[in-house]
């Protein structure tokens, strides 16, 4: 049950049901999640370890606000890890997985062409998830998931940045092409270029 409580609360935070800075009252969480105070406290401690929640003595817990400068640092770490994952995916990709990458790329192009940017954002998440799945690097995947959780609000800001899909689409296409060509060096470079452009947008927002 503690793991289930953790999953439910983490999902609610990532979906924006609890906003940065919002208090997480144990009694209310127990009622909402239908669980005990022990399970809620354990989940809050685990989420604090993930960097999603801040627990303060005599003040309780709240959703942690991630400052923009910290978001940039986190994304710099992500750039290294996701580059590693892309390189490994290129070394391990199967024909079936290459076809799946092709399909997502096609859907992404259609979404941008139709101005369906919410759909494009969902496909973006699906693409990166597939690349991590192909790579099968469990340690890197676990760290990336934790880092991504801390960046949800900032990722939303980046996705809404004017012209962002038109910039990121060809970047994603280069990543897909490099993995399909089984070229780890090119895949890593393409992924790092893509994440570097996210950092550039965050710096623009900060300025």
């Amino acid at each position: 049950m503690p793991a289930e409580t953790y999953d439910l609360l983490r999902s609610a935070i990532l979906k924006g049901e609890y906003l940065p800075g919002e208090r997480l009252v144990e009694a209310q969480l127990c009622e909402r999640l239908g669980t005990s105070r022990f399970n809620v406290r354990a989940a809050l401690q685990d989420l604090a370890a993930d960097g999603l929640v801040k627990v303060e003595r005599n003040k309780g817990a709240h959703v942690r606000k991630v400052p923009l400068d910290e978001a940039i640092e986190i994304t710099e770490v992500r750039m290294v890890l996701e580059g590693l994952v892309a390189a490994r995916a290129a070394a391990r990709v199967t024909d079936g997985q290459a076809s799946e990458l092709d399909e997502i790329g096609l859907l992404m192009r259609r979404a941008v062409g139709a101005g369906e940017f919410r759909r494009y954002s969902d496909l973006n998440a699906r693409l990166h998830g597939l690349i991590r799945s192909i790579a099968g690097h469990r340690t890197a995947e676990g760290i990336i998931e934790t880092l991504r959780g801390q960046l949800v609000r900032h990722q939303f800001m980046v996705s809404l940045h004017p012209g962002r899909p038109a910039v990121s689409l060809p970047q994603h296409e280069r990543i897909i092409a490099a993995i399909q060509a089984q070229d780890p060096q090119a895949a890593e470079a393409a992924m790092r270029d893509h994440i570097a452009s996210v950092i550039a947008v965050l710096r623009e927002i900060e300025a």
Side-chain angles (χ1 to χ4, degrees):
M1 193 66 176
E4 183 181 343
T5 304
Y6 165 86
D7 289 340
L8 289 170
L9 187 50
R10 183 178 189 274
S11 177
I13 292 171
L14 295 184
K15 289 177 182 175
E17 294 173 22
Y18 296 102
L19 299 175
E22 185 172 346
R23 285 190 65 221
L24 298 167
V25 181
E26 288 183 9
Q28 293 174 356
L29 293 174
C30 289
E31 185 176 348
R32 172 175 173 169
L33 302 175
T35 189
S36 69
R37 191 164 289 227
F38 171 82
N39 287 335
V40 166
R41 283 180 180 166
L44 289 172
Q45 290 297 332
D46 288 343
L47 289 165
D50 288 347
L52 286 176
V53 166
K54 188 169 184 179
V55 180
E56 296 180 287
R57 183 183 293 275
N58 301 324
K59 290 185 178 179
H62 62 266
V63 179
R64 191 169 82 90
K65 293 180 180 178
V66 178
L68 205 50
D69 58 346
E70 185 181 348
I72 290 170
E73 290 183 359
I74 291 169
T75 309
E76 288 171 341
V77 175
R78 265 192 65 206
M79 180 173 68
V80 176
L81 288 172
E82 298 225 31
L84 164 70
V85 166
R88 180 154 160 154
R92 293 165 56 100
V93 67
T94 65
D95 290 344
Q97 291 165 337
S99 295
E100 195 173 347
L101 288 168
D102 241 356
E103 180 187 349
I104 295 175
L106 174 61
L107 292 172
M108 291 177 93
R109 284 192 293 277
R110 287 177 179 169
V112 171
E116 297 174 347
F117 299 130
R118 171 75 65 165
R119 169 105 172 113
Y120 178 77
S121 179
D122 292 343
L123 289 164
N124 178 15
R126 182 178 159 195
L127 173 64
H128 283 272
L130 176 58
I131 292 170
R132 291 195 298 274
S133 175
I134 294 169
H137 197 304
R138 286 180 295 176
T139 300
E141 182 169 4
I143 297 170
I144 290 168
E145 276 300 304
T146 297
L147 295 178
R148 283 182 66 248
Q150 297 176 40
L151 293 173
V152 168
R153 185 170 65 92
H154 299 286
Q155 287 172 335
F156 183 67
M157 291 162 59
V158 170
S159 70
L160 292 178
H161 198 264
R164 180 63 193 164
V167 172
S168 67
L169 176 61
Q171 295 172 348
H172 286 124
E173 289 175 331
R174 283 194 291 275
I175 295 166
I176 290 170
I179 293 174
Q180 289 175 325
Q182 299 181 316
D183 186 336
Q185 192 171 3
E188 180 170 6
M191 181 63 82
R192 288 181 69 127
D193 285 347
H194 169 55
I195 305 293
S197 78
V198 173
I199 294 170
V201 173
L202 288 171
R203 291 195 191 283
E204 282 182 39
I205 294 169
E206 185 180 40

